[in-house]
Amino acid sequence: MPSTRFDWVAHARALVSLAWPIMLAQGVLIAIANVDLIMVGRASTAELAYLGVGRQVYWLAAIMGFACMAGIQVFVARADGLGDRRAARAAWAQGLLYAAALGLGLGAVAAVAGPAALGAMGLGAALVREGSHYIWVTALGLPVVFLSTAAMLTYEGISRPRPGMALVVSTIPLNIALNWLLIDGRWGLPAMGATGAGWATNLSYLVAAVAQIAVLVRAPGFRRYGFRLRAVAGRRWRRLWRDGRGLRRFGLAPGLAAGVEMASFALLSFYAARLGERPVAAFQVLLGLHAILFLVAMGLAGAVSVRVGNAVGRRDWAAIGPITGLGAGLTVIVMGLLSLGLWLAPETLAGLFNDEPATRALAAEMVRALAPAIAFDGLQFVLVFALRAAGDQKMAAVLQILSMWLGMAVGGAVATFALGWGPMGPVAGFAAGVVLAALFLGMRFAVMARRWAGRASADAAPTPGDPGRVDRGRAPL
């Protein structure tokens, strides 16, 4: 029976121990994106604008796919919490098959629908043409990106994120070298600009995916789990796909929510693009700097998800609230301090991405305006991950969709065009969306925390003839 006493120090150490490798692993994704921004932005402001509009479609497909695969981490963590290696192995294999199928499907949709969406937004011909080229290239790489993600989620689920983190971090130099060759065209290669950065990303993730999967399958430290590629080979994939319905269903609501969130971000970029190349380029600089700070939330949210998943596996309902509160508090404190640094030196930091004075000055103004809302973004992200891991993913998705759509998509349009705020309108929409999400999800978490506390009390109360009984039923939704 789970202990009723919560050891705050031990849980804080466990969260931090899990969070920093996850943070670094996710940091590779951000690092690759920011390396692309910096290297393309220094090539030309026009190429940075092409990258900015094209990557909104790519990120929409990628982030939606990452959220759809949330069940891999949660199912593996729950199985690991129970010590059920067979279930953990099944979740890994189901997740790998799902990742490949999802990458092919979303990649095809992005390649067809993305260019059409750019044209429908009324953007300039050059933005539509070059942005479409970037979309087509990066859509080809989505299957390997998702396979790498599925492997990393498995490492996290078994509370062993460091090997996966080390492997993906090692691909950053490769990405830089490939960008150097392909963006400006060196060693006889054609200058591809933003599209060259897309090819560099694809090749870097191919190397990462192969290495991550190979270590899970072959390394001695993971043999006790029995991860094997033959589980998805031959005719076994049919049964695996059928058995993985629960894992796929788990990710539907998070995937939809992530899709709406990224669509809202894409709309904010398109609003900026309607104002010209400089506003959209400056907005990309803002997103790049925000992404660096957001690594804190990504690491702690991933750690909270694993720890909550372990608690659900053990039926330790009393631990869910304190674990989440601890993770949320750490996130707000650290991101608040980092955003203060962002507010104090915005132009210096914006200059890392683009050295054109007018673009850098506009980006600095955007950064300073968004800084006070960044801690709210971290808070809502941790709450979403905790609610998902505890089985409340559907309501979490509804609240996330509502807040992001109202704040970002609608609020951003009103601020940009109706109120005439110009380039600061998308920034206002960004801030409104994350503050609303933190408010709505915080209220939902308070309701669920009371339910979990009641469930813990019910499980702890012995029944006549069955002292110490623990209810093995499902988590309340």
Side-chain angles (χ1 to χ4, degrees):
M1 183 174 180
S3 171
T4 58
R5 183 173 180 178
F6 189 84
D7 188 335
W8 291 94
V9 174
H11 279 278
R13 287 175 178 169
L15 278 177
V16 172
S17 179
L18 273 173
W20 75 262
I22 294 174
M23 194 183 306
L24 287 179
Q26 295 295 332
V28 173
L29 185 65
I30 304 302
I32 288 175
N34 281 340
V35 163
D36 291 350
L37 275 176
I38 292 169
M39 298 184 75
V40 171
R42 292 192 173 275
S44 84
T45 297
E47 289 291 341
L48 181 59
Y50 305 150
L51 178 73
V53 296
R55 77 189 313 189
Q56 297 311 310
V57 176
Y58 169 72
W59 280 115
L60 171 59
I63 299 299
M64 189 173 181
F66 297 158
C68 284
M69 293 188 289
I72 300 173
Q73 183 202 61
V74 172
F75 278 45
V76 171
R78 288 178 180 177
D80 198 43
L82 280 173
D84 188 346
R85 293 174 186 170
R86 182 176 181 181
R89 186 165 59 248
W92 130 267
Q94 293 161 10
L96 206 64
L97 180 62
Y98 185 35
L102 196 62
L104 291 171
L106 287 178
V109 171
V112 174
L118 297 187
M121 291 301 297
L123 305 180
L127 282 172
V128 173
R129 182 183 64 254
E130 299 301 326
S132 297
H133 291 165
Y134 180 84
I135 292 169
W136 290 331
V137 168
T138 52
L140 288 174
L142 278 178
V144 293
V145 172
F146 287 176
L147 286 171
S148 173
T149 302
M152 192 64 217
L153 290 171
T154 304
Y155 284 109
E156 294 170 9
I158 59 175
S159 301
R160 295 280 303 280
R162 295 182 189 182
M165 172 271 296
L167 291 169
V168 291
V169 166
S170 67
T171 63
I172 294 177
L174 173 64
N175 180 251
I176 293 173
L178 290 171
N179 273 340
W180 182 78
L181 287 172
L182 300 175
I183 291 173
D184 291 322
R186 291 182 170 87
W187 292 4
L189 295 171
M192 300 182 190
T195 303
W199 282 115
T201 297
N202 290 350
L203 294 170
S204 299
Y205 268 103
L206 176 61
V207 172
V210 171
Q212 287 173 295
I213 293 171
V215 168
L216 277 173
V217 172
R218 305 293 295 179
F222 297 96
R223 285 178 184 169
R224 61 193 179 101
Y225 288 97
F227 297 128
R228 293 291 182 270
L229 282 177
R230 65 170 178 265
V232 295
R235 297 182 179 179
R236 295 185 180 93
W237 71 268
R238 299 177 187 272
R239 180 177 178 181
L240 199 64
W241 184 262
R242 184 179 66 250
D243 293 344
R245 283 178 295 193
L247 184 146
R248 296 194 300 275
R249 280 198 302 267
F250 183 94
L252 288 178
L256 178 61
V260 171
E261 180 179 3
M262 291 310 300
S264 300
F265 272 113
L267 285 173
L268 293 179
S269 288
F270 293 152
Y271 298 159
R274 291 288 296 272
L275 302 174
E277 287 185 354
R278 181 169 291 120
V280 71
F283 193 68
Q284 297 312 302
V285 173
L286 170 69
L287 294 180
L289 287 170
H290 165 267
I292 295 172
L293 269 64
F294 200 66
L295 283 174
V296 174
M298 295 175 78
L300 284 167
V304 166
S305 179
V306 172
R307 298 292 292 171
V308 169
N310 291 158
V312 171
R314 298 190 305 269
R315 303 300 190 255
D316 189 3
W317 312 111
I320 297 174
I323 288 171
T324 306
L326 187 59
L330 289 171
T331 301
V332 169
I333 292 170
V334 176
M335 291 192 71
L337 292 173
L338 291 174
S339 61
L340 177 62
L342 203 62
W343 186 82
L344 291 172
E347 191 156 353
T348 300
L349 295 171
L352 298 174
F353 292 83
N354 189 273
D355 55 6
E356 185 188 28
T359 302
R360 184 172 68 244
L362 179 57
E365 186 180 355
M366 291 179 171
V367 167
R368 182 164 283 173
L370 182 66
I374 288 177
F376 288 95
D377 198 13
L379 174 60
Q380 66 89 17
F381 198 68
V382 171
L383 292 173
V384 163
F385 269 59
L387 289 168
R388 287 178 189 171
D392 193 42
Q393 70 271 22
K394 293 180 181 178
M395 183 55 68
V398 169
L399 295 175
Q400 194 177 21
I401 288 170
L402 181 64
S403 56
M404 294 300 177
W405 185 256
L406 286 177
M408 290 190 181
V410 178
V414 170
T416 304
F417 305 113
L419 298 179
W421 291 5
M424 301 309 294
V427 182
F430 190 159
V434 299
V435 170
L436 279 177
L439 177 63
F440 291 163
L441 291 164
M443 294 169 62
R444 177 61 179 179
F445 182 78
V447 171
M448 293 304 298
R450 287 194 294 270
R451 294 186 186 179
W452 294 321
R455 183 66 178 271
S457 298
D459 283 357
T463 57
D466 188 16
R469 176 188 60 86
V470 176
D471 188 348
R472 297 291 178 178
R474 294 176 58 197
L477 300 181

